[in-house]
Amino acid sequence: MSIITVAKSGNADYTTIKKAIENAQPGDKITVHPGLYKESLVIYKPLEISGGGVAEETIIESDYAPCILMKTDSAKVSGFSLRKLVGEEDNQYPAVDISQGDLVLEDCDITSKSSDSISIYGSNTNPVIRRCRIFDSKESGIWIKDNGKGIVEDCDIYQNNQPGIAISKESNPIIRECRIFDGEHTGILVEDNSQGTIENCHIYNNSYSGIGIGNESNPVIRGCRIFDGKNTGILLKEKSQGTIENCDIYNNTAPGIVISGESNLIIRESRIFDGKINGICFKEKSQGIIENCDVYRNSYPGIGIDNESNPTIRECRIFDGKTNGISLKNSEAIIENCDIYRNSYPGIYVGNESNPTIRECRIFDGKQSGISIKDNSQSTIENCDIYNNADPGIAIENASNPLIRECRIFDGKSVGISIKDNSRVNINKYNIINTSN
């Protein structure tokens, strides 16, 4: 292995990086001294190319082609500012174009005024993008497409005009320990039957969803914080799936999580709180499993279930909501072994011909009813403890007809069960103790 030096002036082997690449042997290392290099580099042999100072001082700038075009099986580039400018013909090139190989790109500042900052595409790509700052792109910060893979880790991705990271067309990268923020679009967009693992990232203050999932995609999102968004925290649509584990999703302007368009999401061991609207919203015939989550201090129902949706909610704590803990409209659900408490409206609202199963829950300390059933709805409520609520433990209205089995309703400020407006109830083995009436 030889070490080749490049400098704009002084004692170096070459004055351009392109000439150094042409004369290097596979496996050589090229060290570039600080300066502005107006070049477009095609890496067509295995090389290591590194800046000799900090990234801000060693600049590769192009207005007619990518700053780096990867055309070999492996290479490493580190320590540069890579700037793709808009040329006279406004060529739509990324700053870094990776169509093959295992490029390692480290400690670089990357921006493109004409397209994406980094484009990764094709089944023969598997780069590593590490400790880079990717910003001010005309389009996406990183676009991974056409069965592309790769690892993006410990990067700052910000102020891009399109998604910070776009994953499309059956791609499957790993995104870890990144900060994706201040974007004019989505933080991360996963679409077109793509997957992906997104872990330990901070995604915040983006104009669209923190993470958008569409077109039958199925990512795993683990250990992330998604917050301060100007829209939803996570949006799932178009028959997509996904798994969310151990995430904090909070203080977003729209619901923390939206599951729509016949999608199906698993949410485990996460905290969804301080939302300006719902914590979690199911709609449009969607399903999912929510288990062992804390959903609290949201301005609208902690979990809203609408439009013929049917999730399972298990072992969750849903509390301190400014309206309902859980709201169902024209939907079904299984709600089991949950603690639902200190909500300003009924802990569970069942309306618009809904029919949930509520079992082994504790519904208490509410500022209104424990459970409100209205509008020709049904329910099966079994083996629940409903206590210390300000209004009836269970309020049944408007021609509704639930089944209540083996429940304990006690210490309420009002009656245990209220039935009115042509409603009926089937009660089997219940206790009402120490209510006010």
Side-chain angles (χ1 to χ4, degrees):
M1 180 191 76
S2 297
I3 298 176
I4 300 169
T5 58
V6 178
K8 298 299 292 183
S9 61
N11 187 19
D13 297 313
Y14 299 99
T15 58
T16 68
I17 307 168
K18 182 177 180 180
K19 200 69 175 177
I21 292 172
E22 289 175 358
N23 289 281
Q25 296 299 310
D28 283 352
K29 180 176 180 179
I30 299 171
T31 299
V32 182
H33 290 241
L36 173 61
Y37 298 85
K38 294 188 176 184
E39 305 186 48
S40 174
L41 307 180
V42 180
I43 304 176
Y44 55 91
K45 60 185 80 170
L47 297 170
E48 181 177 342
I49 307 171
S50 60
V54 296
E56 294 89 342
E57 296 175 349
T58 311
I59 303 162
I60 301 173
E61 187 176 275
S62 173
D63 61 2
Y64 62 92
C67 299
I68 294 174
L69 177 60
M70 178 67 174
K71 286 293 183 181
T72 187
D73 290 338
S74 63
K76 182 177 180 180
V77 175
S78 62
F80 292 95
S81 284
L82 305 173
R83 301 175 181 171
K84 174 61 180 72
L85 305 181
V86 179
E88 292 182 2
E89 298 180 3
D90 192 18
N91 294 313
Q92 301 296 305
Y93 291 113
V96 180
D97 186 310
I98 307 170
S99 61
Q100 71 177 82
D102 302 339
L103 175 65
V104 177
L105 185 63
E106 293 181 335
D107 301 309
C108 290
D109 293 344
I110 307 166
T111 189
S112 174
K113 299 300 183 183
S114 65
S115 184
D116 312 301
S117 284
I118 302 175
S119 182
I120 301 167
Y121 54 100
S123 59
N124 294 320
T125 60
N126 195 14
V128 175
I129 316 297
R130 182 183 292 129
R131 295 190 304 274
C132 291
R133 291 152 299 282
I134 302 158
F135 59 97
D136 286 348
S137 309
K138 181 180 179 182
E139 296 183 5
S140 297
I142 303 174
W143 189 8
I144 305 166
K145 58 184 176 178
D146 300 331
N147 295 288
K149 297 183 291 295
I151 297 172
V152 182
E153 61 183 5
D154 196 17
C155 291
D156 290 286
I157 302 170
Y158 57 98
Q159 293 174 357
N160 298 288
N161 285 306
Q162 293 296 316
I165 301 176
I167 303 167
S168 67
K169 299 180 183 177
E170 303 184 8
S171 296
N172 188 12
I174 296 170
I175 316 295
R176 69 165 70 106
E177 296 181 358
C178 291
R179 285 120 347 245
I180 304 163
F181 59 98
D182 290 353
E184 297 298 324
H185 204 280
T186 310
I188 300 176
L189 178 63
V190 187
E191 59 182 357
D192 303 329
N193 199 29
S194 293
Q195 300 179 62
T197 300
I198 304 165
E199 54 188 9
N200 298 326
C201 292
H202 290 193
I203 303 169
Y204 59 97
N205 199 38
N206 295 288
S207 295
Y208 290 17
S209 302
I211 300 177
I213 305 166
N215 302 114
E216 302 184 23
S217 295
N218 188 7
V220 174
I221 304 164
R222 182 185 299 127
C224 292
R225 296 178 62 195
I226 304 166
F227 60 100
D228 291 354
K230 298 173 184 177
N231 207 294
T232 53
I234 298 175
L235 172 61
L236 200 77
K237 60 182 182 178
E238 298 161 342
K239 298 184 179 179
S240 292
Q241 301 179 65
T243 301
I244 300 172
E245 299 178 331
N246 193 26
C247 290
D248 290 284
I249 303 168
Y250 60 96
N251 200 38
N252 295 287
T253 300
I257 303 173
V258 173
I259 305 100
S260 65
E262 301 181 44
S263 295
N264 190 346
L265 183 65
I266 297 171
I267 310 168
R268 294 193 185 103
E269 297 179 354
S270 295
R271 294 146 300 279
I272 302 101
F273 60 99
D274 289 349
K276 304 296 190 295
I277 302 185
N278 301 95
I280 302 170
C281 180
F282 289 88
K283 58 184 181 179
E284 299 167 359
K285 300 182 180 180
S286 292
Q287 302 179 62
I289 297 172
I290 309 173
E291 56 186 9
N292 197 20
C293 291
D294 292 284
V295 183
Y296 60 99
R297 290 201 310 254
N298 295 288
S299 295
Y300 285 31
I303 302 176
I305 306 166
D306 297 340
N307 309 120
E308 302 181 48
S309 295
N310 189 5
T312 296
I313 305 164
R314 181 185 298 133
E315 297 178 357
C316 291
R317 293 147 302 278
I318 305 161
F319 60 98
D320 288 349
K322 296 176 183 177
T323 63
N324 306 105
I326 300 173
S327 172
L328 293 97
K329 297 179 181 179
N330 191 31
S331 293
E332 300 181 6
I334 296 173
I335 305 166
E336 56 188 7
N337 198 19
C338 292
D339 290 285
I340 303 169
Y341 59 98
R342 289 202 310 259
N343 295 288
S344 295
Y345 290 12
I348 300 176
Y349 172 83
V350 183
N352 301 93
E353 302 183 359
S354 294
N355 187 11
T357 297
I358 306 166
R359 68 168 68 102
E360 297 180 354
C361 291
R362 292 149 301 279
I363 305 165
F364 59 99
D365 291 352
K367 298 176 183 177
Q368 293 188 14
S369 301
I371 302 174
S372 175
I373 306 169
K374 293 184 176 181
D375 305 325
N376 199 32
S377 293
Q378 303 178 61
S379 295
T380 299
I381 306 168
E382 53 189 9
N383 199 20
C384 291
D385 291 286
I386 304 169
Y387 59 97
N388 199 36
N389 296 289
D391 289 346
I394 302 175
I396 307 164
E397 304 176 56
N398 307 118
S400 296
N401 185 15
L403 168 63
I404 302 172
R405 181 188 297 133
E406 298 184 354
C407 291
R408 293 152 299 282
I409 306 169
F410 59 98
D411 289 350
K413 307 299 189 296
S414 182
V415 297
I417 300 174
S418 170
I419 307 167
K420 57 184 179 180
D421 301 329
N422 296 311
S423 295
R424 295 178 295 166
V425 62
N426 185 346
I427 302 176
N428 182 2
K429 293 184 180 179
Y430 76 102
N431 291 313
I432 298 178
I433 305 169
N434 293 335
T435 56
S436 294
N437 292 289

